[in-house]
Amino acid sequence: MVAEASVAVSRHRDSCICRAWQWQWLKRDSQHTPLALAIMATCGSNCCDGDFDKDDVTTRTIESCLPFPLPDEILEDIVPKAKDFALLHGAGMRYKNKYDADTLQFAPFFLLPSGFPRREFERVVKLQPIINILMHKIAHDHEFLRSALEKTIKVDEFTRRLWDIYTTVREEGVAQWISLGMFRCDYFYSVPSQIAQQVEINTVASSFGALAARISLMHRYVLGELRKPELLSHLPENDALAGLCGGMISAWDAYGCPKAVILFVVEDVTYNICDQRFHEYEIRRQRPDIHVIRRSLTQIGQQGHLTSDKRLIITCAPAVSDYESCPAYVVLFRAGYEPGQYHTEAEWEARLTVERSKAIKSPSIQYHLAGTKKVQQEIARPGILKKFLSDSEAKLVSQLFTGLYTLDMSPEGDQAVQMAVENPERFVLKPQREGGGNNVYGEEIRTVLEKIRDSKEREAYILMDRIRPPIQQNYLVRAHQAATLVEVVSELGIFGTILGNAKDIQSSKFAGHMLRTKLSSVNEGGVAAGLGALDSVFLFD
Ligand code: ADP
Ligand code: MG
């Protein structure tokens, strides 16, 4: 064991990656192995990237579910099988570079499930219904939203436009007080704190529920083919698709109008088509009587109107429905979360038309605003959670938060700017945007903040502690490329659904999970960008 420890320690020195062959709960376990102790002895305040807190003396690597590297002959056999499984079960996407509506390729995936500590997985699953309720209450607290966003909307045009829609609808009189939440809370397991920490709460266009469930099935198949059935008990069931569609069906039932359709608001071109279409098919499977139609904001502008009693009517081809015009009573936004999706004023008008209507929206405009990064930073202020949750719930939820800091023009904001400029590696700088690729990291934080530190422009951003997930290895499988063994980190997404109005919550549920894994060397790992890929959870104790 000691020899093994010294190998691991020297490897750590060489590669700057703390490596252990078993997960060690170093800070909590009284029974440290010699390996763990040896690593603890060598990892000090300058551990690895040199940007950890002084007390960060812990291993940063999780053991893979099988010993890696896999022998070549096994890889040659299993990778094509896994690709076929993914393709034949629809874990696919459309080509981004050369779009062709008639062609799919499998979405990038990891060959085997990646480790996530069972205790933390179960914790965030249990907390999801409480987080749903928290977001619901925040979305219905006008004063909280106003004070959280008042500075942001002066400098961030996109958030201001959403805010204008919200206030217009409020002033005119809200036609539909029921909202449907289909949220996804994202977490990294944090090495320094040894708990799951929240990256963000998505209230709009929470995606990958369908593909996540497909990849879980693929990993079950792969482990079976590798003759490792004993590992299957580590893979949690994943019913994300059924859970999310169940949420939409409950919203539809809240109206119970047999003519009504569910409207998916989609991009002009949808690359993540399998994920979206499987939601449609699952709704049909659960309820053959419900129709789903898909329209972009541009099409809603052309084909949608409100009746005098604020029903949203969309012109439909008779082939799609028996009805030439469909009242849409449930609207799911899979687009509309970024400025580029509003090409002209017509798309903003279309959004306003939908928000004015009686349709139950997911998200409603107030849910959309509650999901902004600025609101999330304000929620994390001391004492805020207790306004919305019981003391014990507030305590549990607060443990999920890492440091979030305002960059408002105030002494508090000045202090945050200073902290980030001095130590940019410790933070992530976030503008009010969704969809990936917008955050600022490392040295660039310093550059950006030095440029805007004396301007109100900085109020469009928030600052967040950078979470340090453990590194593990896995095989990245991409179309037309050989499977490669890479070092990765995994981000867990927990889905939740909620249905209710300001006074009553009809249901608040956990609705499945997903895992996205990315190269440990990149800041963000978009699946479509090829730096991240679909994965599933391998729970370990
Ligand atoms: P978006 O709305 O664009 O998805 P996120 O806040 O989820 O914004 O950030 C995008 C990605 O950036 C995350 O998936 C994660 O990989 C990385 N990231 C965001 N916040 C942090 C953080 N605090 N620590 C480490 N990585 C982060
Ligand atoms: Mg995100």
Side-chain angles (χ1 to χ4, degrees):
M1 194 62 190
V2 175
E4 193 184 339
S6 65
V7 170
V9 169
S10 71
R11 197 186 282 247
H12 162 64
R13 288 202 184 105
D14 291 344
S15 67
C16 235
I17 294 169
C18 308
R19 183 169 297 278
W21 304 116
Q22 286 208 315
W23 181 265
Q24 312 285 352
W25 298 98
L26 296 185
K27 284 182 181 166
R28 292 184 185 176
D29 260 359
S30 51
Q31 300 286 307
H32 295 323
T33 62
L35 169 61
L37 290 169
I39 289 178
M40 286 170 81
T42 57
C43 300
S45 57
N46 290 325
C47 177
C48 307
D49 316 331
D51 53 4
F52 277 74
D53 288 334
K54 277 206 173 55
D55 65 348
D56 173 39
V57 284
T58 182
T59 175
R60 296 182 59 208
T61 300
I62 304 180
E63 187 187 22
S64 51
C65 70
L66 291 176
F68 286 157
L70 295 175
D72 284 349
E73 59 278 18
I74 290 189
L75 268 184
E76 280 158 25
D77 177 60
I78 197 67
V79 170
K81 285 180 178 170
K83 285 183 180 179
D84 284 350
F85 191 101
L87 274 175
L88 296 175
H89 290 77
M93 289 188 141
R94 287 203 171 118
Y95 284 88
K96 194 116 204 186
N97 313 342
K98 36 179 183 154
Y99 177 82
D100 175 355
D102 294 346
T103 311
L104 282 177
Q105 65 181 11
F106 62 83
F109 63 82
F110 283 93
L111 184 63
L112 287 157
S114 294
F116 201 91
R118 184 188 301 275
R119 182 194 65 192
E120 292 308 300
F121 179 83
E122 288 174 354
R123 196 152 82 97
V124 292
V125 165
K126 275 204 199 109
L127 284 176
Q128 188 58 42
I130 299 173
I131 295 173
N132 295 339
I133 293 170
L134 169 70
M135 296 311 287
H136 181 86
K137 289 187 175 170
I138 282 169
H140 290 92
D141 187 327
H142 172 70
E143 193 39 42
F144 183 80
L145 283 185
R146 194 201 55 74
S147 77
L149 290 172
E150 69 182 338
K151 293 185 175 143
T152 314
I153 58 179
K154 294 204 175 103
V155 284
D156 187 75
E157 169 73 3
F158 183 68
T159 313
R160 185 188 63 74
R161 295 219 63 164
L162 295 176
W163 180 261
D164 287 349
I165 291 177
Y166 165 74
T167 48
T168 304
V169 172
R170 251 179 87 80
E171 280 156 21
E172 289 176 358
V174 176
Q176 179 54 268
W177 273 111
I178 300 177
S179 297
L180 168 66
M182 294 173 63
F183 303 149
R184 198 188 74 213
C185 294
D186 292 337
Y187 301 93
F188 277 126
Y189 177 76
S190 155
V191 172
S193 58
Q194 302 200 2
I195 51 171
Q197 292 201 307
Q198 197 166 73
V199 174
E200 68 157 346
I201 303 176
N202 297 284
T203 60
V204 58
S206 304
S207 56
F208 290 124
L211 293 196
R214 309 267 143 181
I215 293 297
S216 295
L217 290 178
M218 190 203 70
H219 282 153
R220 285 178 180 273
Y221 163 76
V222 165
L223 287 175
E225 287 299 299
L226 293 173
R227 307 277 191 279
K228 295 287 175 195
E230 69 278 11
L231 296 182
L232 294 179
S233 61
H234 292 261
L235 274 55
E237 292 293 329
N238 194 358
D239 255 347
L241 183 60
L244 293 168
C245 293
M248 283 187 273
I249 291 170
S250 324
W252 191 88
D253 280 338
Y255 258 88
C257 164
K259 273 174 107 181
V261 298
I262 298 181
L263 166 64
F264 285 12
V265 180
V266 296
E267 314 89 324
D268 301 312
V269 175
T270 300
Y271 299 100
N272 197 5
I273 188 68
C274 297
D275 197 55
Q276 292 184 13
R277 285 285 190 201
F278 280 127
H279 284 76
E280 203 176 315
Y281 307 152
E282 175 64 17
I283 291 170
R284 176 64 49 82
R285 190 190 67 78
Q286 290 188 32
R287 289 288 293 272
D289 52 325
I290 303 179
H291 271 275
V292 171
I293 61 171
R294 298 163 56 84
R295 296 287 186 280
S296 66
L297 283 168
T298 311
Q299 290 169 325
I300 294 170
Q302 294 156 353
Q303 302 167 12
H305 69 274
L306 290 187
T307 59
S308 56
D309 64 346
K310 296 199 176 172
R311 284 176 303 135
L312 173 64
I313 305 291
I314 307 287
T315 312
C316 292
V320 174
S321 149
D322 283 347
Y323 311 102
E324 279 189 17
S325 53
C326 307
Y329 277 173
V330 179
V331 178
L332 172 69
F333 284 98
R334 289 289 297 237
Y337 54 83
E338 61 178 22
Q341 291 162 341
Y342 297 81
H343 311 298
T344 64
E345 283 305 303
E347 285 75 22
W348 282 109
E349 261 313 304
R351 178 76 192 260
L352 180 59
T353 303
V354 174
E355 297 299 338
R356 276 177 166 145
S357 78
K358 263 188 182 162
I360 298 175
K361 276 81 67 182
S362 184
S364 56
I365 190 74
Q366 64 268 26
Y367 272 4
H368 193 163
L369 290 167
T372 53
K373 308 258 184 311
K374 179 63 187 172
V375 169
Q376 292 179 23
Q377 173 254 301
E378 290 293 319
I379 299 172
R381 279 187 187 280
I384 296 296
L385 286 175
K386 286 194 183 169
K387 280 180 62 183
F388 300 102
L389 300 174
S390 70
D391 285 3
S392 58
E393 288 170 343
K395 189 170 170 211
L396 290 171
V397 173
S398 70
Q399 288 164 355
L400 302 173
F401 297 159
T402 186
L404 284 142
Y405 312 92
T406 178
L407 291 173
D408 287 357
M409 302 299 282
S410 63
E412 193 189 356
D414 291 344
Q415 215 177 350
V417 170
Q418 193 54 31
M419 206 165 64
V421 167
E422 280 170 13
N423 258 315
E425 291 299 330
R426 291 187 52 183
F427 302 99
V428 180
L429 181 64
K430 297 190 174 187
Q432 309 304 308
R433 289 291 169 276
E434 301 293 328
N438 302 298
N439 298 337
V440 183
Y441 301 85
E443 269 307 307
E444 210 192 330
I445 295 182
R446 185 178 284 148
T447 316
V448 171
L449 283 182
E450 277 177 348
K451 217 189 282 168
I452 60 174
R453 74 187 302 164
D454 299 322
S455 132
K456 282 197 175 202
E457 234 186 290
R458 78 182 205 202
E459 296 183 334
Y461 294 84
I462 62 147
L463 187 70
M464 184 174 185
D465 283 343
R466 185 162 186 166
I467 307 166
R468 300 293 179 172
I471 292 169
Q472 51 193 314
Q473 290 189 318
N474 207 334
Y475 284 94
L476 177 57
V477 182
R478 287 181 283 198
H480 315 300
Q481 292 183 34
T484 23
L485 187 58
V486 284
E487 296 203 316
V488 294
V489 295
S490 292
E491 188 172 344
L492 177 68
I494 300 291
F495 293 102
T497 59
I498 184 164
L499 185 69
N501 60 27
K503 292 203 184 92
D504 283 323
I505 293 174
Q506 292 175 26
S507 66
S508 174
K509 296 181 183 164
F510 158 70
H513 67 273
M514 57 91 93
L515 195 76
R516 271 175 315 166
T517 293
K518 64 176 184 180
L519 301 185
S520 60
S521 55
V522 300
N523 292 321
E524 292 189 29
V527 173
L531 299 171
L534 299 171
D535 200 351
S536 83
V537 172
F538 185 87
L539 298 177
F540 62 89
D541 295 301

